[in-house]
Amino acid sequence: MNLAGNRVIIRRAGKRDEEMLRHLIDDPKTVKVTGKYPRPMSYNHQIHWFCGSAGDVRGIIAQKERPEAGLGIILLSHVDPTEKTAEIYIKLTRPARGKGYGRDAVTVLVSHAFFGMGLNHIRARILKNNQASIRLFETCGFKEESACGCAGSGDGENRTVCVYGISLPDGE
């Protein structure tokens, strides 16, 4: 799988991505706005999970000019071919944020979901305190659909999860 945007490609994960994946798991500022894993994750476990699950699209975001260096991850999961829906998730390394890579990656993956996979609705679940992700998805055309206070943060605090969605434009 290689999906190309204007500035990024979305490619398969490999050994070269170990440090970047570990950084995304361990970065306390990322964990604060995305939630943490329930237990420590080894690189092998991360790669096995990242490459698994039939029907899902899981990729490394990289610059077109430097495809070997990962900038983050993007996932299309919970793909339901009957309902023609899926969920999208993205995590970027801190140095890659705010530079348009996320917007390009989300746009590429949503286009692939609609026109390559035949889906008609994509949702993103975002913690309400993650304003950068909310802005990213709104910029990409997602609209808030609902919110609920149901995500445990690991510190005993419940947080509000906002669900944003985008549908295949009529007539396409």
Side-chain angles (χ1 to χ4, degrees), residues 15 32-33 40 44 52 57 67 69 113 120 148 162 172:
K15 184 74 174 157
K32 184 175 177 134
V33 294
N44 287 336
V57 176
N120 62 25
C148 67
C162 300
E172 295 194 41

Side-chain angles (χ1 to χ4, degrees), residues 103-117:
R103 182 176 57 244
D104 197 29
V106 168
T107 300
V108 167
L109 193 52
V110 167
S111 179
H112 174 71
F114 289 158
F115 304 110
M117 298 173 68

Side-chain angles (χ1 to χ4, degrees), residues 125-129 144 146-153 156-163:
R125 298 180 188 278
I126 309 166
L127 290 175
K128 188 173 185 170
N129 68 327
E144 186 172 3
S146 64
C148 67
C150 58
S153 65
E157 180 182 328
N158 283 331
R159 298 194 178 149
T160 301
V161 175
C162 300
V163 178

Side-chain angles (χ1 to χ4, degrees), residues 1 4 8 20 25 32 34-35 37 57 63 69-70 94 96 101 107 109-110 115 119 130 132 140 158 161 164 166 170:
M1 167 206 59
V8 302
M20 185 271 301
I25 293 169
K32 184 175 177 134
T34 61
Y37 293 97
V57 176
Q63 285 179 307
R94 275 196 267 165
Y101 300 124
T107 300
L109 193 52
V110 167
F115 304 110
L119 303 181
N130 190 345
C140 293
N158 283 331
V161 175
Y164 281 74
I166 190 170
D170 290 335

Side-chain angles (χ1 to χ4, degrees), residues 1 12 45-59 75-81 87 117:
M1 167 206 59
R12 291 191 189 283
H45 181 269
Q46 179 82 339
I47 285 294
H48 178 73
W49 173 84
F50 202 79
C51 294
S53 194
D56 289 0
V57 176
R58 299 175 180 181
L75 315 164
L76 193 66
S77 67
H78 300 89
V79 176
D80 184 333
E87 293 182 12
M117 298 173 68

Side-chain angles (χ1 to χ4, degrees), residues 7 9 14 21 23-24 34-35 43 59 77 83 123 126 128 133-134 141 143 153 156 166:
R7 303 185 64 207
I9 63 162
L21 290 170
H23 179 74
L24 286 175
T34 61
Y43 170 73
S77 67
E83 294 294 321
R123 289 186 184 88
I126 309 166
K128 188 173 185 170
S133 282
I134 289 172
K143 306 284 185 219
S153 65
I166 190 170

